Each structure stands twice: as C-alpha cells, then as structure tokens.
C-alpha cells in the first residue's frame, strides 16, 4: 500500500514541542514515521513528550532549550545533528503570550521580553537549522530541508494590548519570505502557518469564556481549534510533497477569516 506522507528517515526539530500545538505537530511527524527532536524548557514535559512520541516507533530526542539563549540554540542544533546524522526540518513554534492593559501601558521590558522568545528565538532556531541544511548540501546531500514558522492570526490582525505579539508574529511572515528567496537554491523551503483561535494544553478557556462563545457564533466550523488540527500541516510541510511550496502563509482557522466575524452562523438558514 502506498503511504503518501512517509517521513521515514527524516529528522525534524520542533521548538516548544513538548506541549500544545508544537507537541501535536511533533506527534503528527512521529505518526508518519519521522524522527523528532523536541526542544522545551521543562524537563518533566520533555520526558513526557518523549514517552508518547517514542510509542510510534521512531527515534526521539528531547533537549532542554530556551530559544532566547543563542548559545544554547547553537549547541542544541549541533547536538541534534550529531545524534541523528542530519536535520531535515525545523518548526519554530516556541512562544509566549502576554496581554497588557493597553499599548500605552506596555513597558519596554514586556516588549523585549516577548520578542526575545517569539521573534528572536524563532530566528535563531531556523537560522541554525538552515546552517545545518546548507552543510548537508555542501556535503552532496541535495534533499534540502523545510523551515516552518508557527505564527498566528495576530500576524494579520490587530490585538489590543498585544502589539508586541502582533509584531513578533508579523515578523515571522516577513522573515520567512526573505529566507525562502535566499535559501531556495539549496533546496530549503520556508513557510508560515497561522493558527486561529485554538484551545490546547498551553491555552485553555472554559466553555463559557466570551472568546469561546464568540467563536461558536462566528466561526463557520462552529468551534475552537484543537492542537491536533495542526498535525497534518506539519507533516505536509516536512514531507517531500511540499518540495515546490515555499514563501507561503497558510491560515488554519476553521473559516474565521473568511467570515471576518460578520455572519452569526447560529442564525444562518439550515440547508435542506
């Protein structure tokens, strides 16, 4: 039987891969036969991720990494390449979420603290991944590689009190396109996925939360996203079937942006 998405032999590094969307992406890769390197700051969460991911039969390595620490990112990528012999993909998913009362109240500490992880941490992770992929290319391996930024609808829309988050996610989009243009000659692809409102282990809301209620009313899918909704896009971008897909931004939001919050789907007529 033909297995379309077969990642056997491919090694993918997932920052923030021990929880939430990052873990779901790592799980999708492991399900498809890929080897996974999980970067996370919490040792106990890393160990838990390794146990579950290893159950799919592939190789799994967890490293304690703060992506805001450049020296550690450089060291961790080198360790991963030495352990598995190569790196074929990097998913820059690690990030923080922070709300301030308003833009006028936002301190420079809050601004730089969030960007240190969400923007600069993503830059460091994909830079080191790209360097390793270029070394493989120079050694005669022309299979290239895939870089994927996990951004947010906040890269495309405004969020009161979250301008630092907007800035970081928007920067991912611009950065990714610049990388795609420069790295394409080495078979390296760079893309962005923008998740919509998603409930996960790292972002939880009660059913009666105003955001959840609004999503139910105005999202065509009628629900919040779940972390597992992002397994497939990770597998696609880490596979050879996306070899001509680069410099793009993919929105996965259940139709939220298509509706733009205009139509109350609970009040729409039912199809006969």
């Amino acid at each position: 039987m033909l297995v379309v998405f077969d990642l056997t032999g491919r090694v993918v590094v997932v920052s923030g891969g021990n929880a939430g969307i990052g873990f779901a992406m790592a799980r999708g890769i492991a399900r498809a036969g890929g080897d996974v390197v999980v970067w996370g700051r919490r040792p106990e969460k890393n160990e838990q991720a390794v146990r579950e991911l290893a159950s799919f039969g592939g190789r799994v390595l967890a490293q304690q990494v703060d992506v805001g620490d450049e020296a550690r990112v450089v060291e961790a990528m080198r360790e991963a390449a030495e352990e598995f012999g190569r790196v074929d993909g990097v998913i820059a998913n690690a990030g923080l979420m922070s709300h301030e009362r308003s833009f006028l109240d936002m301190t420079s500490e809050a601004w730089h603290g969030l960007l240190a992880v969400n923007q600069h941490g993503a830059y460091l992770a994909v830079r080191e991944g790209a360097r390793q992929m270029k070394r493989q290319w120079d050694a005669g391996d022309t299979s290239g590689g895939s870089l994927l930024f996990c951004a947010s609808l906040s890269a495309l829309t405004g969020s009161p009190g979250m301008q630092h988050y907007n800035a970081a996610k928007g920067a991912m989009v611009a950065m990714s396109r610049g990388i795609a243009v420069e790295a394409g000659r080495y078979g390296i692809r760079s893309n962005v996925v923008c998740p919509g409102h998603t409930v996960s282990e790292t972002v939880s809301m009660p059913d009666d939360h105003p955001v959840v209620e609004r999503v139910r009313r105005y999202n065509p899918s009628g629900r919040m996203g779940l972390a597992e909704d992002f397994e497939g896009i990770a597998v696609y971008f880490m596979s050879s079937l996306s070899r001509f897909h680069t410099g793009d931004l993919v929105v996965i939001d259940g139709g939220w942006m298509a509706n733009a919050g205009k139509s109350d789907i609970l009040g729409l007529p039912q199809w006969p």
Side-chain angles (χ1 to χ4, degrees), residues 63-78:
Q63 297 171 290
Q64 189 172 358
V65 180
D66 178 348
V67 293
D69 181 343
E70 181 172 7
R72 179 56 185 143
V73 170
V74 172
E75 178 185 44
M77 191 66 71
R78 177 185 56 78

Side-chain angles (χ1 to χ4, degrees), residues 38-58:
V38 171
W39 284 4
R41 294 189 294 181
R42 295 175 291 172
E44 70 282 359
K45 293 298 296 181
N46 287 353
E47 293 170 6
Q48 182 180 337
V50 167
R51 286 194 296 271
E52 183 166 342
L53 296 174
S55 69
F56 296 105

